[in-house]
Amino acid sequence: MTTAKSWKIGREIGDAVVKASSNPNRRWYGPHMAASVRAISERIPLVDFVLEIRDARIPLSSEYELLRKFSLFPSKRIVVLNKMELADPLELKKWMAYFQGRNYLSYAVNSHNKECVKNFLNFLQSQVRELHKSGHSGHTTTMMLLGIPNVGKSALANSLHQIGRISAAEKGKLKHTTVSSQPGDTKDIMSLKIGSHPNVYVLDTPGVLPPKLLDAEICSKLALTGAIPDDIIGEKELARFCLTLLNSSHEYKKWAKLSKSQDVTGSLSNENSTSSAQRKRQYPTDHTQDFIVYDVRRVLYETISAFDGNLEDDISMGELIETQFAALRTVLRVTEEAKLVLVMCFKVWWTNREWNQLNRVDNMFSLYGVIIKMP
């Protein structure tokens, strides 16, 4: 397979993260991470299962390196590819086959989809039953969620806890772990019950990165998927990289129909509550239906289509991105001085609104750059 182009801005972002990781005052590996590593290391030998949570968009780059220090039985470790809704389904299937070929148990999950979480819980319960058949005598099974920052461990733990308690018809107040789009918000190990008869608990743990990062390509992927704090690189640079990947792919062509449509944001205020309710019923869980996103997609399509420069050239790509920034400021109704607002909008949609899906994946399958979810 062909190798994806290495863009200058991607190399610069990766190099900046590598350099920051060599700084003794590095921000992502503070005292809380060192303490977390010690606490996790003490507990790993005591748990029944280790669920290694990875980002489905970057299955290799989001590996939890601490696990390399432990000799786990294959049946004890389960690689969980979270955020599957943000990954290319065909390529995700290849990754599942890749892990299967290496005798890893693996499972892809969307922690925000109840049906998907319920199926995952059934899978975990089947693993617990197999464990008891093999002679496990304990009345309680413990599973530890491990992963780098911002792969969705806490969101998945909360969903498993909620659905597990409902399925078991248990009463009582639900517990919740802290969920945030910012890496490093989980500070302590927290236990949540996800099953009864037998009792099954998950331990949600803080996200941990290695004390020092050496691979610039991996670092650029971690920065784009939110594992590295944005302000280490700069939100504007991340937005530039995001647009670079979009502009160099063909996915924007899916938005051609939007360039011929009317400005739907202007007519939004004229719609009554009935039509609004109809939209909610039609798209009950898809946040991409915000009409401002349609305008953003339209502008991106039109600017890329009208550009006659060489998109293989870094300088030409930079010129296109500046044109896009200017057009998007108009759509988002922000001034030149409020450019940071524009960039933050990119990050909100990117990590939380799910209107575009980064798929800068590992070279093994050389997948194309950016996948944009369409309604």
Side-chain angles (χ1 to χ4, degrees):
M1 293 187 181
T2 58
T3 302
K5 177 178 172 58
S6 176
W7 290 98
K8 179 182 178 181
I9 188 171
R11 297 192 298 271
E12 291 175 346
I13 287 175
D15 290 340
V17 176
V18 171
K19 182 178 180 180
S21 75
S22 300
N23 187 332
N25 298 318
R26 53 185 173 268
R27 295 193 49 220
W28 66 79
Y29 197 86
H32 80 279
M33 275 200 183
S36 298
V37 168
R38 291 192 297 270
I40 290 170
S41 299
E42 292 172 356
R43 287 171 172 78
I44 284 181
L46 305 177
V47 300
D48 300 298
F49 292 96
V50 170
L51 308 185
E52 183 191 1
I53 314 301
R54 300 194 189 188
D55 191 316
R57 298 166 291 181
I58 50 171
L60 291 188
S61 297
S62 56
E63 178 190 3
Y64 190 76
E65 290 191 8
L66 179 62
L67 279 181
R68 295 181 182 179
K69 300 179 180 180
F70 297 89
S71 298
L72 298 175
F73 291 110
S75 60
K76 185 175 181 177
R77 179 182 182 182
I78 302 174
V79 176
V80 181
L81 302 182
N82 195 23
K83 304 186 181 183
M84 62 175 292
E85 74 280 10
L86 302 182
D88 181 344
L90 295 178
E91 301 304 334
L92 180 59
K93 188 176 181 180
K94 292 181 181 180
W95 282 111
M96 297 292 288
Y98 165 80
F99 288 116
Q100 183 180 7
R102 282 153 182 77
N103 296 321
Y104 285 150
L105 280 174
S106 63
Y107 198 98
V109 66
N110 172 2
S111 60
H112 300 291
N113 183 289
K114 290 184 178 180
E115 192 62 31
C116 187
V117 174
K118 187 175 181 180
N119 291 336
F120 180 49
L121 183 59
N122 291 336
F123 166 77
L124 294 178
Q125 289 171 338
S126 70
Q127 297 303 310
V128 172
R129 289 192 293 270
E130 290 298 320
L131 179 67
H132 282 268
K133 288 180 181 179
S134 64
H136 183 271
S137 58
H139 296 290
T140 298
T141 301
T142 306
M143 302 180 173
M144 177 177 280
L145 303 183
L146 297 177
I148 65 173
N150 214 25
V151 290
K153 296 182 299 298
S154 296
L156 182 58
N158 285 335
S159 296
L160 287 169
H161 175 55
Q162 181 181 23
I163 293 177
R165 291 283 301 274
I166 292 174
S167 299
E170 290 194 3
K171 297 180 179 180
K173 185 177 181 180
L174 290 171
K175 297 166 67 177
H176 295 280
T177 64
T178 301
V179 177
S180 171
S181 62
Q182 297 301 316
D185 274 6
T186 301
K187 304 293 185 184
D188 302 305
I189 296 177
M190 185 174 182
S191 175
L192 297 173
K193 189 174 184 179
I194 66 170
S196 301
H197 312 297
N199 293 328
V200 182
Y201 289 84
V202 294
L203 301 180
D204 183 31
T205 64
V208 175
L209 285 169
K212 191 172 183 179
L213 302 174
L214 302 175
D215 191 310
E217 183 180 359
I218 289 178
C219 288
S220 66
K221 299 173 187 177
L222 296 179
L224 282 168
T225 51
I228 305 294
D230 292 346
D231 56 357
I232 288 180
I233 305 302
E235 290 88 349
K236 183 176 179 180
E237 293 307 301
L238 290 172
R240 286 182 181 277
F241 195 16
C242 171
L243 285 175
T244 297
L245 300 179
L246 169 63
N247 295 338
S248 60
S249 75
H250 297 288
E251 297 304 315
Y252 73 93
K253 295 179 180 179
K254 296 178 180 179
W255 302 336
K257 60 183 179 181
L258 299 179
S259 67
K260 302 175 183 179
S261 62
Q262 298 295 321
D263 185 355
V264 293
T265 58
S267 62
L268 180 60
S269 60
N270 298 326
E271 295 190 3
N272 56 37
S273 58
T274 301
S275 60
S276 177
Q278 289 174 343
R279 287 196 306 273
K280 290 180 180 179
R281 285 195 298 268
Q282 186 178 1
Y283 308 112
T285 59
D286 187 0
H287 295 295
T288 65
Q289 300 311 312
D290 292 348
F291 288 100
I292 187 66
V293 176
Y294 281 114
D295 269 353
V296 171
R297 289 171 170 173
R298 174 180 56 80
V299 166
L300 291 175
Y301 170 80
E302 292 173 350
T303 53
I304 300 172
S305 299
F307 187 71
D308 59 0
N310 178 14
L311 290 181
E312 293 295 316
D313 177 66
D314 285 293
I315 296 178
S316 296
M317 179 66 76
E319 294 173 352
L320 172 57
I321 290 174
E322 287 303 317
T323 300
Q324 291 173 320
F325 274 154
L328 288 168
R329 283 196 295 273
T330 301
V331 169
L332 297 174
R333 298 173 177 84
V334 296
T335 64
E336 177 69 25
E337 293 73 21
K339 187 178 290 187
L340 180 60
V341 176
L342 166 64
V343 178
M344 291 309 295
C345 284
F346 267 102
K347 291 300 295 177
V348 168
W349 277 319
W350 194 342
T351 58
N352 296 335
R353 305 293 288 189
E354 301 173 11
W355 71 275
N356 73 336
Q357 298 159 37
L358 176 71
N359 197 21
R360 292 292 291 177
V361 299
D362 304 274
N363 285 335
M364 180 167 300
F365 294 119
S366 302
L367 307 180
Y368 48 86
V370 178
I371 305 298
I372 308 297
K373 179 189 290 184
M374 290 299 295

